[in-house]
Amino acid sequence: MKSVIQTLWDKGWAVLILRILAGFGFAAHGYAKLERGPAQFAVALTGMGMVAPLFMAWLVTLIELLGGILLMAGAFVRPLCLPLSVIMVTAMIGVHLPYGFSSVKLRAVTAQGAQFGPTGYEINLFYLAALLILAVAPVGSFSVDGWLDKRKRLLHASP
């Protein structure tokens, strides 16, 4: 008898949930960069010593925004995992690594609310793990990739 986890995996539910959460996270970060203006993000990239910071700011913004939307839809998941992973590794090494592992550093709770310090690389590792799982997981039924796969099989099976 199959376990519940194996059944969820086989039916694509586990991958669907992971894909939607990771995709939403990337899309939200891309949208935030777009809303503030990629030129503002380019300032941070300049501080990191990035080559062509304005171009890279636009590129990262669009990859996160569009890549996140495509991940949620389950479209081009495997090819998207590489550029999204590069973004995560760059952010982890260039920004978060000096602040240690923890993503939550509570400094104080004031009348204005909780005050946090700089975030560590914990969340970057979770995104990288999610992307690795999505890159090797079977194409889910609830995805554009799954629909395209099924369509291709049907076309090749036709006489």
Side-chain angles (χ1 to χ4, degrees):
M1 184 170 162
K2 282 186 176 180
S3 71
V4 173
I5 294 172
Q6 186 64 49
T7 302
L8 289 174
W9 179 264
D10 290 346
K11 297 286 185 189
W13 285 101
V15 173
L16 172 68
I17 293 165
L18 185 62
R19 208 180 63 229
I20 289 173
L21 288 173
F24 183 81
F26 279 110
H29 284 270
Y31 181 76
K33 287 175 179 74
L34 187 63
E35 191 174 46
R36 285 190 298 267
Q40 186 175 348
F41 180 46
V43 173
L45 295 178
T46 300
M48 291 172 58
M50 189 70 60
V51 176
L54 186 58
F55 172 77
M56 293 305 289
W58 273 102
L59 184 64
V60 168
T61 299
L62 293 175
I63 289 173
E64 285 183 345
L65 179 62
L66 299 176
I69 292 167
L70 289 170
L71 271 186
M72 287 188 282
F76 312 107
V77 171
R78 287 189 178 115
L80 279 170
C81 287
L82 181 62
L84 291 170
S85 293
V86 168
I87 290 169
M88 279 295 101
V89 169
T90 304
M92 185 170 67
I93 293 170
V95 178
H96 302 284
L97 202 60
Y99 302 111
F101 176 75
S102 184
S103 65
V104 178
K105 295 208 173 45
L106 183 63
R107 287 190 171 170
V109 178
T110 67
Q112 289 78 33
Q115 306 295 311
F116 296 98
T119 59
Y121 57 88
E122 178 179 2
I123 298 299
N124 302 96
L125 289 178
F126 274 104
Y127 274 106
L128 287 168
L131 291 168
L132 176 63
I133 291 166
L134 292 174
V136 300
V139 175
S141 307
F142 312 106
S143 68
V144 172
D145 288 345
W147 178 78
L148 291 172
D149 220 29
K150 185 185 234 179
R151 188 166 180 231
K152 186 167 57 171
R153 281 195 313 269
L154 288 172
L155 287 173
H156 289 286
S158 301

